[in-house]
Amino acid sequence: MKKVVLIVAAGVGKRMNTDIPKQFLLLGKLPVLIHTIYRFIEFDPSIELRLVLPENRIDVWKSLCVNYNFNISHKIF
């Protein structure tokens, strides 16, 4: 059976009182969203990942992937 995970990371950081959305804030040495994805992949490496991001944050996410050498396959919606 195919497993797909849909991660909705569309927050804006309002409750965190920051201009940076929580999913992009660093937790230790990595952004929260990368930590989240790693947990799903640890659970099942065959899982297919789908990220829902605000359109105006997709480039931010792509930059984070490059900066943190994050190359786990995923699709952005």
Side-chain angles (χ1 to χ4, degrees):
M1 176 171 51
K2 178 176 164 180
K3 295 178 188 167
V4 178
V5 171
L6 180 66
I7 300 172
V8 180
V12 294
K14 186 176 180 181
R15 289 180 296 178
M16 297 291 290
N17 291 321
T18 178
D19 292 333
I20 301 170
K22 180 172 59 177
Q23 63 270 27
F24 301 135
L25 291 175
L26 291 181
L27 178 63
K29 295 182 180 185
L30 295 172
V32 170
L33 186 52
I34 290 177
H35 278 288
T36 302
I37 292 170
Y38 280 151
R39 295 307 163 262
F40 281 108
I41 293 300
E42 285 174 6
F43 171 73
D44 185 344
S46 70
I47 244 169
E48 292 186 27
L49 296 164
R50 308 288 186 260
L51 301 181
V52 179
L53 298 170
E55 193 170 336
N56 65 339
R57 299 293 184 171
I58 292 173
D59 287 340
V60 172
W61 172 244
K62 288 179 179 179
S63 292
L64 288 172
C65 289
V66 170
N67 292 340
Y68 290 94
N69 197 28
F70 181 79
N71 55 14
I72 291 175
S73 178
H74 61 281
K75 292 187 179 177
I76 300 171
F77 294 90

